[in-house]
């Protein structure tokens, strides 16, 4: 008998079984659950009320108001007010109103522990993989089942192994690695499967930057993602208030994988996803873009402290190009205050950056800064299909925050290595 | 809710591979109430769809139908537009689960691509059968586990939970 993947072990544990096989369907206990305003009370509040059941565990449930916050009109205000009223009515202990983007808050507030199962009403719930947890997306209606029972049914998925080897060169980030793999595996490359990211180059990244990969597992259509736990993870968890009560879960040496991919990043160039697909990826030197009107450093993927710092390193003492607007939306208030304290935010603003709220905003196609017809944007977010950030007639390039910053200076897609 | 005794029958609307939920229900409609979602179903990929779709029509996808964001407004909009069922070679898991939860029949059919735009199709979600009346072919959908079939028969997760939990 061959060994088990980390995913098999997590699901065996969560379902109270000795072991599980790929293809088994299990009822698994959820360790933590998150719901946001866009896929929350506005869609499921009435149905949940009809069931008349209490929330299974309020200490392990987080509700965020991040997608429609602050609202830009009547319909968004309605969603937000329904969300707030529901949080009050349910007497939630963890409701975060414009404090940050759900996936980042889940990690920051210690809701994610290695070896556990997490569910969330958002496709990027895969973000938990960087902390060694299995995060799976569900919808708001299914969320009713989790809130009522603390359980979810899952099919035990196969795992795809993606190894990053070599030394990470200057100017290269988790985003470049994610895009490199996406180019190869494509947007449907991990359908119904878990992406296990590993290798010395990956583990050389900070935990925040590993999150860029686990987050973007969603762009490969993966069910979830998983990354090994090391000392850096333990340190991150400690800062989030998770000192003990967790045990790392690792894939066995002889575990079976659906596929394996290997990349050496030693000579990797910054990668750019060109319009209008996430897997339409080229090295930056091969991208000859038209002039850009917008650069965006934001979202749960690309506005963590390390992203803001990487952008600031490029922008410090420089100005964004004439005719281009740079938008900055830190992924949480905690990140924003740290970036304020260490001068990062100042450097970005001095360079011409416009500061936006610590919520989804443009990434969700909402709030100020949405793209108009014909506009060209480069963003550190995760999706670039038509209409994602406003007009369906706009075009979006995706890259690391450093590449976004370099492009903001040049007014066209540009290589950050020239600036560092 | 769909009347289980009535067969789903209508014209086929064929779309390709990797149809993103952002095309099925563009982000800008995320804050619309349920009743208004139908008027924008599939708008991001075919602006004429909401105008021309008839009750009972069937959407046919290729691979990975409903990928991208896990927004439930995607299947909700399709259902509100009057679509009777969605058939695809493969579905993205979020879209698939969301559809079953809200009571929109979704069928995984290896031969989905044999159906052409405008073909007359009859669907029996409980038997997992798709009849192409235009071509005289019958396709069999991949069977679903028992506990999911119970939910399909109940018409979605909420009615199912009502039966079993309360
Ligand atoms: S920032 Fe973007 S990708 Fe992240 S949760 Fe918000 S809308 Fe989704």
């Amino acid at each position: 008998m061959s060994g088990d993947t980390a995913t098999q072990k997590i699901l065996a544990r969560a379902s109270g079984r000795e072991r599980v096989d790929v293809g088994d369907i299990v009822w698994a206990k959820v360790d933590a659950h998150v719901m946001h305003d866009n896929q929350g009370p506005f869609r499921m509040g009435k149905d949940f009320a009809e069931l008349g059941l209490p929330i299974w565990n309020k200490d392990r449930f987080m509700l965020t108001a991040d997608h429609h916050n602050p609202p830009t009109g009547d319909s968004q205000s309605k969603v937000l007010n329904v969300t707030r009223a529901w949080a009050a009515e349910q007497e939630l202990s963890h409701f975060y109103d414009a404090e940050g983007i759900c996936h980042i808050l889940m990690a920051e507030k210690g809701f994610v522990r290695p070896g556990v199962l997490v569910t969330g009403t958002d496709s990027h719930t895969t973000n938990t993989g960087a902390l060694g947890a299995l995060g799976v997306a569900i919808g708001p209606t299914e969320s009713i089942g989790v809130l009522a029972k603390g359980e979810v049914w899952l099919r035990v998925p196969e795992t795809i192994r993606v190894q990053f080897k070599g030394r990470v060169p200057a100017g290269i980030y988790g985003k470049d690695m994610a895009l490199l793999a996406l180019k190869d595996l494509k947007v449907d490359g991990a359908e119904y499967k878990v992406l296990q990211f590993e290798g010395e180059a990956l583990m050389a990244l900070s935990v925040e930057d590993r999150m860029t990969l686990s987050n973007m597992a969603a762009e490969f259509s993966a069910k979830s993602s998983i990354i090994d736990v090391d000392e850096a993870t333990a340190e991150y968890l400690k800062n989030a208030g998770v000192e003990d009560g967790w045990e790392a879960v690792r894939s066995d040496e002889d575990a079976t994988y659906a596929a394996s991919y290997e990349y050496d990043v030693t000579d990797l160039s910054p990668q750019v996803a060109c319009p209008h697909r996430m897997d339409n990826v080229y090295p930056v030197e091969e991208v000859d873009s038209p002039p850009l009107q917008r650069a965006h450093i934001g979202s749960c993927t690309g506005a963590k402290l390390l992203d803001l710092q990487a952008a600031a390193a490029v922008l410090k003492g420089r100005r964004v190009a004439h005719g281009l607007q740079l938008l900055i939306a830190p992924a949480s208030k905690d990140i924003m205050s740290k970036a304020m304290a260490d001068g990062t935010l100042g450097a970005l603003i001095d360079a011409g950056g416009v500061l936006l709220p610590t919520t989804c905003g443009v990434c969700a196609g909402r709030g100020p800064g949405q793209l108009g017809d014909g506009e060209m944007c480069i963003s550190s977010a995760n999706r670039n299909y038509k209409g994602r950030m406003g007009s369906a007639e706009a075009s979006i390039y995706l890259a690391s925050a450093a590449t976004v910053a370099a492009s903001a200076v040049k007014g066209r897609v540009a290589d950050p290595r020239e600036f560092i | 809710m769909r009347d289980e005794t009535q067969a789903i029958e209508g014209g086929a609307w064929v779309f390709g591979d990797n149809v993103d939920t952002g095309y099925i229900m563009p982000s800008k409609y995320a804050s619309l109430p349920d009743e208004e979602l139908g008027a924008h179903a599939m708008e991001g990929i075919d602006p004429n769809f909401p105008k021309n779709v008839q009750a009972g029509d069937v959407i046919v996808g290729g691979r990975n139908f409903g990928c991208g964001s896990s927004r439930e407004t995607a299947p909700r909009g399709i259902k509100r537009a009057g679509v009777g069922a969605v058939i695809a070679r493969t579905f993205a898991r979020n879209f698939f689960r969301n559809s079953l939860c809200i009571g929109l029949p979704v069928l995984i059919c290896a031969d989905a691509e044999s159906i052409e735009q405008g073909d007359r199709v009859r669907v029996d979600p409980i038997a997992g059968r798709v009849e192409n009346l235009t071509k005289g072919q019958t396709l069999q959908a991949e069977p679903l586990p028992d506990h999911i079939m119970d939910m399909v028969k109940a018409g979605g997760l909420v009615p199912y939970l009502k039966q079993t939990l309360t």
Side-chain angles (χ1 to χ4, degrees):
Chain A
M1 194 176 67
S2 64
D4 291 341
T5 61
T7 299
Q8 281 173 282
K9 292 182 190 182
I10 290 172
L11 288 177
R13 209 196 258 181
S15 60
R17 299 195 190 190
E18 190 84 0
R19 73 176 293 275
V20 295
D21 279 314
V22 165
D24 287 354
I25 287 176
V26 297
W27 277 96
K29 288 217 177 346
V30 167
D31 188 68
H33 179 56
V34 61
M35 201 163 77
H36 56 60
D37 52 353
N38 190 43
Q39 298 235 82
F42 186 72
R43 300 278 170 217
M44 49 62 78
K46 247 177 47 206
D47 282 336
F48 186 65
E50 267 184 47
L51 278 185
L53 294 168
I55 291 173
W56 105 104
N57 185 347
K58 283 184 200 167
D59 294 335
R60 305 302 301 156
F61 169 54
M62 180 187 283
L63 176 68
T64 60
D66 51 7
H67 280 64
H68 297 281
N69 205 358
T72 43
D74 187 51
S75 70
Q76 283 194 295
S77 289
K78 281 193 180 114
V79 174
L80 190 60
N81 290 328
V82 167
T83 308
R84 287 177 177 156
W86 192 82
E89 178 195 309
Q90 296 289 332
E91 298 177 340
L92 296 185
S93 22
H94 299 285
F95 171 50
Y96 299 105
D97 196 340
E99 273 206 41
I101 301 163
C102 55
H103 309 298
I104 301 306
L105 291 179
M106 283 289 277
E108 276 178 3
K109 308 252 179 217
F111 269 69
V112 185
R113 291 180 294 166
V116 302
L117 175 66
V118 176
T119 47
T121 59
D122 190 277
S123 54
H124 292 100
T125 307
T126 58
N127 194 62
T128 61
L131 295 175
L134 195 71
V136 190
I138 57 172
T141 300
E142 190 152 28
S143 179
I144 293 173
V146 170
L147 288 176
K149 302 202 289 180
E151 279 187 346
V152 68
W153 70 266
L154 294 169
R155 188 183 156 278
V156 180
E158 292 179 291
T159 295
I160 294 177
R161 190 179 196 187
V162 181
Q163 284 178 282
F164 295 96
K165 298 194 157 167
R167 204 181 48 80
V168 186
I172 297 300
Y173 298 90
K175 184 60 157 283
D176 302 298
M177 298 190 199
L179 293 177
L180 175 73
L182 202 42
K183 176 186 187 147
D184 205 13
L185 274 83
K186 304 285 174 220
V187 291
D188 58 355
E191 251 187 315
Y192 289 90
K193 298 184 180 68
V194 167
L195 284 172
Q196 178 175 308
F197 296 111
E198 56 181 65
E200 72 264 12
L202 177 86
M203 297 313 277
L205 301 177
S206 67
V207 171
E208 264 195 320
D209 210 11
R210 294 176 199 169
M211 269 181 211
T212 313
L213 285 124
S214 55
N215 181 288
M216 286 194 75
E219 275 55 72
F220 301 73
S221 300
K223 181 171 194 157
S224 192
S225 77
I226 195 91
I227 292 176
D228 232 350
V229 169
D230 63 4
E231 271 167 34
T233 326
E235 187 63 26
Y236 185 98
L237 289 164
K238 214 167 118 197
N239 290 329
V242 187
E243 300 250 3
D244 42 30
W246 58 269
E247 196 191 326
V249 167
R250 280 194 181 87
S251 293
D252 292 328
E253 289 289 332
D254 57 345
T256 310
Y257 295 95
S260 283
Y261 297 83
E262 221 180 273
Y263 306 101
D264 191 321
V265 305
T266 308
D267 298 317
L268 186 65
S269 297
Q271 304 287 301
V272 181
C274 297
H276 302 279
R277 270 177 73 124
M278 287 83 80
D279 53 15
N280 188 22
V281 174
Y282 295 91
V284 69
E285 58 270 18
E286 287 177 28
V287 180
D288 186 12
S289 84
L292 305 169
Q293 289 74 45
R294 206 71 61 89
H296 169 247
I297 295 173
S299 87
C300 54
T301 308
K304 291 159 288 186
L305 186 59
L306 105 131
D307 300 308
L308 302 183
Q309 287 167 338
V314 170
L315 284 163
K316 201 170 167 60
R318 299 194 170 90
R319 289 288 303 177
V320 303
H322 187 71
L324 177 139
Q325 184 183 49
L326 171 65
L327 304 173
I328 315 276
S332 75
K333 276 195 178 164
D334 186 56
I335 291 169
M336 183 155 82
S337 47
K338 284 182 177 139
M340 246 191 272
D342 74 0
T344 298
L345 215 47
L348 296 175
I349 290 168
D350 287 347
V354 174
L355 189 61
L356 294 180
T358 54
T359 49
C360 300
V362 184
C363 177
R366 283 163 223 152
Q370 289 181 49
L371 304 178
D373 290 355
E375 284 193 317
M376 298 276 162
C377 174
I378 185 161
S379 170
S380 63
N382 47 39
R383 290 189 175 135
N384 68 344
Y385 59 76
K386 288 185 186 177
R388 172 72 181 181
M389 297 184 179
S391 166
E393 303 304 319
S395 300
I396 305 162
Y397 293 85
L398 301 175
S400 73
T403 304
V404 172
S407 307
V409 172
K410 290 264 170 118
R412 294 169 186 270
V413 173
D415 193 331
R417 293 173 301 184
E418 286 177 40
F419 296 89
I420 46 177
Chain B
M1 199 194 310
R2 188 168 48 84
D3 179 356
E4 308 301 335
T5 56
Q6 226 166 30
I8 297 160
E9 191 182 312
W13 292 80
V14 179
F15 299 94
D17 294 342
N18 296 314
V19 176
D20 197 290
T21 50
Y23 293 127
I24 299 172
M25 185 55 61
S27 319
K28 60 183 169 194
Y29 303 124
S31 53
L32 288 187
D34 261 37
E35 311 79 75
E36 292 172 35
L37 292 173
H40 303 288
M42 307 305 290
E43 194 184 284
I45 190 165
D46 179 359
N48 291 318
F49 182 88
K51 280 178 254 161
N52 298 329
V53 66
Q54 305 282 318
D57 279 358
V58 167
I59 287 177
V60 181
R63 289 165 43 88
N64 204 23
F65 187 87
C67 60
S69 129
S70 63
R71 68 191 70 173
E72 201 177 86
T73 50
R76 282 190 191 222
I78 287 177
K79 196 178 176 198
R80 288 278 175 176
V83 169
V86 184
I87 304 160
R89 179 126 79 99
T90 61
F91 288 91
R93 60 172 291 278
N94 286 322
F95 182 88
F96 191 71
R97 290 182 82 110
N98 285 339
S99 300
L100 293 171
C101 282
I102 64 152
L104 171 71
V106 275
L107 294 96
I108 306 165
C109 246
D111 309 319
E113 281 134 323
S114 65
I115 303 169
E116 287 178 90
Q117 179 72 22
D119 281 359
R120 193 95 194 140
V121 174
R122 187 187 291 153
V123 178
D124 180 342
I126 309 290
R129 198 169 44 236
V130 178
E131 282 174 82
N132 186 332
L133 304 173
T134 304
K135 293 205 164 68
Q137 289 168 342
T138 302
L139 314 179
Q140 193 61 40
E142 208 173 278
L144 297 176
D146 288 346
H147 75 281
I148 299 178
M149 277 321 292
D150 290 343
M151 186 167 85
V152 172
K153 285 177 195 157
L157 180 67
V158 174
Y160 175 69
L161 288 175
K162 272 188 200 151
Q163 283 171 16
T164 53
L165 279 186
T166 53

